[in-house]
Amino acid sequence: MDTARGLKVVVVGATGNLGTGIVEALGREPDVAEIAGVARRPTEWTSPKATFTVADTTTDDFRPIVRGADAVIHLSWLFQPTHRPEVTWENNVLGAISVFEAAAAEKVPALIYSSSVAAYSPGRSTDRVTEDWPTHGWPGAAYPREKSYLERFLDTLELRAPEMRIVRMRPYFLFKRESATSQRRLFVGPLLPGNLLRSGLLPVMPLVEDLRAQVLHTSDVADAFVRATVRPVRAFSLATEPPVDGAFLAEMFSARKIPVPRAALRKAVRAAWHAHLVPASPGLLDTVLQLPLLDGTRARTELGWEPQYSPPEILEEFLSGLREGAGMPTAPLAPDTAGRRAHEVATGIGQRP
């Protein structure tokens, strides 16, 4: 990729958690001259080198949008409505394919796609798998099905468009202070009182067998995406150490540890989801319970990437954001208010895309 004139990078899904982080990181990258951010809804947010376009991957022609780009970064994703998987499929799969096809048709040199740890096939939560672990996902939930399907589509696109460098980034769970309200809306819903999320106020913490995950700061993941944009690389798992589990959280909250069977947790989530009390589906819980841990060696050696935030720092910042209702002036990251919580209830928890 010729960086002499400065790169033009199109970021599809530029106003969400990862999108805002990547746009900011691209703005600091000397090799990048122009950032074209794309989002479904208008935004008041601005960032150096960036201009923003309103477009929907399910209805708009993306060929004019990606024309002349040196790289396209695709992030656009819907988690809701969780009770209508055909809606998320249309945006997440068919919409992504429309962007991928547009990039190939316009002969964009590089396509960087935000896949996920959920694209990986189930594994033991004690094993750390590398990028060659199968990406067949878990069929019991929309999120891993959609991520896995796009991995297969990109396999075929690499054969049809060998001149285009296709990069698949597969991060574990990522957080920042400004994403706290958004992620509360997406996964927990409006009934969680943020003020309870501080040390000493939660009396107990459930311990679920083999439930552990790796967490990342959004800015660290954004840095990896920028490095993958300007270097001739292909696929990376992104993760930090150590993993987070119930014991880790119990210590953070000074709470007493209470063992909870997997079946009991799943039953509770299933009942709450069917009653429209939480947006996260039981299938998504099943996915998390079967995720392997990731080995991030390749990102460190080939990208020169090193996370700057530790898991305790990431979670402390995120929890602070939850307590304060933090956000940004974009539609996906709008900060918390009593009126917004009431609107979530009125429009149906987990129903709005």
Side-chain angles (χ1 to χ4, degrees):
M1 185 180 295
D2 181 13
T3 61
R5 62 177 173 78
L7 302 176
K8 176 183 178 180
V9 182
V10 175
V11 182
V12 183
T15 57
N17 176 15
L18 183 53
T20 51
I22 288 176
V23 168
E24 289 174 334
L26 287 169
R28 297 188 294 268
E29 171 55 50
D31 289 336
V32 173
E34 181 183 353
I35 306 161
V38 185
R40 289 189 303 117
R41 291 167 286 184
T43 180
E44 299 175 3
W45 179 65
T46 60
S47 187
K49 304 180 186 176
T51 57
F52 293 90
T53 299
V54 175
D56 191 321
T57 61
T58 65
T59 58
D60 292 313
D61 179 7
F62 266 71
R63 287 192 62 170
I65 294 172
V66 304
R67 187 168 297 148
D70 297 286
V72 171
I73 299 176
H74 184 74
L75 313 168
S76 178
W77 203 265
L78 293 182
F79 284 93
Q80 295 178 0
T82 55
H83 290 265
R84 295 181 59 199
E86 72 279 4
V87 175
T88 59
W89 180 271
E90 182 179 15
N91 179 86
N92 299 344
V93 174
L94 302 184
I97 288 173
S98 75
V99 174
F100 300 163
E101 294 280 20
E106 292 297 325
K107 301 188 184 305
V108 176
L111 171 66
I112 298 91
Y113 161 59
S114 180
S115 188
S116 168
V117 60
Y120 285 117
S121 298
R124 296 185 304 178
S125 65
T126 54
D127 294 337
R128 283 162 178 76
V129 304
T130 59
E131 287 80 359
D132 58 0
W133 189 258
T135 53
H136 302 313
W138 164 250
Y143 183 64
R145 283 198 306 269
E146 292 161 356
K147 289 294 187 184
S148 178
Y149 189 94
L150 288 177
E151 292 271 355
R152 299 290 74 76
F153 181 86
L154 291 176
D155 289 343
T156 64
L157 186 60
E158 284 182 325
L159 297 175
R160 290 192 290 114
E163 71 283 355
M164 184 165 66
R165 179 172 62 91
I166 298 176
V167 187
R168 310 169 201 213
M169 306 293 278
R170 303 180 188 123
Y172 229 102
F173 304 148
L174 54 152
F175 306 91
K176 63 181 177 183
R177 178 183 177 276
E178 295 84 357
S179 72
T181 296
S182 171
Q183 288 170 309
R184 191 272 302 153
R185 283 196 295 259
L186 290 174
F187 303 113
V188 184
L191 305 182
L192 174 70
N195 286 335
L196 283 182
L197 299 175
R198 63 179 75 245
S199 180
L201 291 185
L202 286 179
V204 298
M205 179 62 63
L207 295 184
V208 181
E209 183 183 4
D210 292 332
L211 177 57
R212 56 181 59 85
Q214 291 160 298
V215 298
L216 294 144
H217 195 282
T218 301
S219 64
D220 284 333
V221 177
D223 175 57
F225 270 76
V226 174
R227 290 169 184 260
T229 301
V230 300
R231 301 187 185 197
V233 293
R234 290 286 178 175
F236 297 97
S237 297
L238 302 175
T240 55
E241 298 290 347
V244 172
D245 58 12
F248 185 104
L249 296 175
E251 182 176 349
M252 174 175 284
F253 283 105
S254 300
R256 187 161 58 95
K257 299 187 285 286
I258 300 293
V260 174
R262 282 188 175 199
L265 177 62
R266 190 183 190 283
K267 185 176 181 179
V269 170
R270 182 177 182 83
W273 182 70
H274 279 291
H276 294 269
L277 298 177
V278 298
S281 70
L284 193 58
L285 173 63
D286 289 339
T287 302
V288 173
L289 288 170
Q290 298 181 80
L291 292 177
L293 298 178
L294 300 182
D295 180 339
T297 300
R298 179 185 288 182
R300 289 172 168 83
T301 57
E302 295 187 23
L303 286 179
W305 176 74
E306 194 66 43
Q308 300 302 302
Y309 289 82
S310 68
E313 291 171 331
I314 295 164
L315 292 178
E316 287 288 0
E317 178 184 319
F318 179 72
L319 291 170
S320 172
L322 279 177
R323 291 191 295 268
E324 298 166 12
M328 290 179 67
T330 73
L333 300 183
D336 218 349
T337 64
R340 287 189 184 278
R341 287 190 180 234
H343 185 67
E344 290 176 57
V345 175
T347 55
I349 297 173
Q351 296 301 300
R352 289 179 59 82

